Amino acid sequence: MSGKSDRPRLELRRFGSELLRDQRLNKGTAFSIRERQALGLHGLLPPVVSTPEMQENRILQNFTRQPTDLDRYIQLMDVQDRNEKLFYRVLCNNLDQMMPIVYTPTVGLACEKYGLIFRRPRGLFITIQDKGHIADMLASWPERNVKAIVVTDGERILGLGDLGSFGMGIPVGKLALYTAIAGVPPSQCLPIVLDVGTNNQSLLKDDFYIGLKKPRDRSDNYDEFIDEFMQAVVSTYGQDCLIQFEDFGNHNAFRFLEKYRNKYCTFNDDIQGTASVAVAGIMASLRITQTELKDNKFVFQGAGEASLGIASLLVMAMVEQGVSLEEARSKMWLVDSRGLVCKDRASGGINHEKAAFAHQHEHIKNLADVINKIKPTAIIGAAAVAGAFTEDIIKSMASFNKRPIIFALSNPTSKAECTAEQAYKLTNGKCVFASGSPFPSYTLQDGSMLHPGQGNNSYIFPGVALSVILFKIHHVSDKIFLVAAKALADLVTKDNLKEGRVYPPLKDVREVSVKIAVRVAEHAYATKAASLYPEPEDKETFVRSNMYSYEYESFEPQFYDWPSNL
């Protein structure tokens, strides 16, 4: 039979075959018999009809058979490329297993090997050679309702340095967590690399490097390029599109945060997100040490984005509790590559951001000597100097503190200042420990087990982003990150603390995001920062009702609104 009467049926079957190639709609073997018959998929799939649970189990079986974490990363990215709903089902239901693969620490290795494992583009690669045409490039992205962008220029990827366009793994991974942890629909998320070259000589010689093979542009042209990008985002997606800066070099990160924070809906996760999760861990730690925040003294191994962000947010928290700004800053001591950051330091290297924490003190070059002289209650590592917290340093902390706080926050694991085992063993289990990457539990001599907390930014940035997007918060203040830190600290239970945890178990992070989103929304309405009106009366119900679901859509005629031309 042929002619006009066949056309709708042929179009419907063509539409059906396209579903198998569309990762947003593809269900694989979960298409029902009726759907297969209606869509012309009968015979294109094996005869078995799988439940989503069976598909998830198949993925997990293959996942455990992979020989390395990088192979597991590649497998998960392949799933994301062909069946988005199944990818997020696996992620959401198995966060403990999946987080170290799609995020730290494995994402760092994935970035280093990005040229070898590259399969298909996930996001936009905008080069400095595209200056003058950025809005056109954004317009080429197929999704129009973009609400969140994570952008990097690849200069400081985790603790691995300048990886240029290989840094795309970071925006891709961060936005996967936007969806898995906070329920932001993937169609609203856009990962972007701004490729301005790289100074990594090994990449410039790498046949598989996918970025511009030219030195990193540090001229005024770079600033003009970033300005154009920010303006193009607003003109394309609107003023309330969230722009999260990720892994820019220290100098540019601070500059851009100050330059854009009051003009655009933006934040820097390395500065503000890291600060928020660290401060939350400190606040929870105080319930173990039985001390007040103002009674603590902090030494930071590092004086870059993370350390300065944490120190600044701790100061804000102290000031909020009635401590003077000057006294609060006096509790913060920074150690950079030249030693203690102090006034009149002969070796210099103290920029505007560091200067706020440069105290009148003799210059000390060695971290161990700084700690023995200052005698802090807490040491925080965030400079990606592997092994910086030596045996002597850890033992010293235990010698003058009943419960020393030791946060080894650098990522990936290879850059950690110390391991959980070293911290617990050398302090006889006295320390309160947290790390940036996951470490296994540690059993003390008395048989009790301690579970190290992972100070993972994923506790903070997805929930904050969800609130910003849903409640139309146009400017993301530092106070919002302090509100998020308090909300996270409040979610740490007494049982968590007994186990040594200063964060909720990672498997609960989706629920954590909901609670943070609600607390941020309450603050935003109280300070007139939210622009969604009328104000939702039950904010938690509103948040939950707008979160992405990984349940499959039905294409059976009674459930699906078929295109009118079919």
Side-chain angles (χ1 to χ4, degrees), residues 124-141 144 149 151 190 192-196 221-237:
L124 285 177
F125 293 82
I126 302 175
T127 77
I128 200 162
Q129 296 174 351
D130 300 310
K131 188 167 167 279
H133 306 282
I134 297 177
D136 293 335
M137 298 185 72
L138 292 176
S140 69
W141 184 250
R144 305 273 27 103
I149 289 171
V151 60
L190 173 55
I192 294 179
V193 159
L194 299 177
D195 187 348
V196 298
N221 196 39
Y222 172 79
D223 278 24
E224 293 169 5
F225 177 60
I226 303 298
D227 278 342
E228 182 188 342
F229 168 72
M230 299 298 285
Q231 293 162 13
V233 169
V234 170
S235 65
T236 306
Y237 302 120

Side-chain angles (χ1 to χ4, degrees), residues 85 88 92 95 177-186 188 462-463 465-467 469-471 508-518 539-551:
K85 295 271 190 180
Y88 285 111
C92 293
L95 277 170
L177 298 186
Y178 265 50
T179 301
I181 291 174
V184 178
Q188 296 181 6
L466 178 63
S467 195
I469 292 167
L470 289 182
F471 298 99
D508 299 332
V509 70
R510 191 173 171 92
E511 190 65 20
V512 167
S513 292
V514 172
K515 301 298 185 184
I516 287 177
V518 171
K539 294 179 180 61
E540 184 167 330
T541 297
F542 177 78
V543 168
R544 293 185 188 278
S545 66
N546 280 279
M547 293 174 72
Y548 172 81
S549 170
Y550 55 69
E551 298 297 336

Side-chain angles (χ1 to χ4, degrees), residues 270-534:
D270 302 302
I271 300 172
Q272 297 161 292
T274 300
S276 187
V277 75
V279 170
I282 293 295
M283 288 177 169
S285 298
L286 300 181
R287 292 159 60 190
I288 297 175
T289 62
Q290 296 293 299
T291 59
E292 298 290 329
L293 182 59
K294 63 183 176 62
D295 298 325
N296 283 268
K297 192 185 300 182
F298 301 85
V299 165
F300 294 85
Q301 163 57 26
E305 297 170 47
S307 293
L308 287 165
I310 298 166
S312 297
L313 201 62
L314 283 169
V315 166
M316 179 182 284
M318 287 187 186
V319 170
E320 193 178 75
Q321 294 176 2
V323 178
S324 70
L325 178 62
E326 184 179 354
E327 182 183 354
R329 284 179 173 170
S330 73
K331 308 283 187 180
M332 311 296 154
W333 297 80
L334 306 179
V335 178
D336 63 12
S337 59
R338 296 177 176 89
L340 183 65
V341 174
C342 53
K343 292 182 184 294
D344 305 320
R345 188 171 71 176
S347 57
I350 299 177
N351 58 24
H352 169 72
E353 290 79 23
K354 294 180 187 179
F357 302 101
H359 310 306
Q360 196 67 54
H361 197 281
E362 63 176 309
H363 181 235
I364 307 173
K365 291 185 177 181
N366 184 273
L367 176 63
D369 293 337
V370 170
I371 287 170
N372 285 321
K373 188 75 174 180
I374 303 299
K375 290 185 167 46
T377 57
I379 53 174
I380 299 175
V385 179
F389 294 167
T390 62
E391 179 176 341
D392 288 343
I393 287 174
I394 296 171
K395 286 183 175 179
S396 291
M397 285 295 293
S399 71
F400 48 76
N401 288 297
K402 184 178 179 182
R403 299 298 302 270
I405 297 172
I406 299 174
F407 279 18
L409 299 181
S410 291
N411 283 313
T413 310
S414 61
K415 300 292 184 179
E417 289 75 16
C418 68
T419 67
E421 180 180 1
Q422 288 168 337
Y424 289 136
K425 188 174 182 178
L426 294 171
T427 63
N428 294 318
K430 290 167 55 179
C431 75
V432 183
F433 178 84
S435 57
S437 291
F439 281 107
S441 301
Y442 180 75
T443 303
L444 297 173
Q445 289 184 344
D446 63 5
S448 59
M449 185 174 289
L450 293 173
H451 303 275
Q454 186 186 352
N456 196 313
N457 287 22
S458 61
Y459 280 113
I460 293 293
F461 72 80
V464 169
L466 178 63
S467 195
V468 168
I469 292 167
L470 289 182
F471 298 99
K472 299 185 183 298
I473 302 171
H474 285 171
H475 301 295
V476 190
S477 67
D478 287 337
K479 186 60 182 292
I480 280 177
F481 285 96
L482 183 55
V483 169
K486 291 177 182 177
L488 177 57
D490 288 346
L491 292 170
V492 181
T493 67
K494 290 181 180 179
D495 287 340
N496 294 155
L497 295 173
K498 287 179 182 177
E499 295 175 338
R501 302 182 193 270
V502 292
Y503 299 102
L506 207 54
K507 64 180 177 61
D508 299 332
V509 70
R510 191 173 171 92
E511 190 65 20
V512 167
S513 292
V514 172
K515 301 298 185 184
I516 287 177
V518 171
R519 288 275 288 273
V520 168
E522 291 169 348
H523 166 78
Y525 280 106
T527 57
K528 310 298 183 186
S531 59
L532 175 70
Y533 287 96

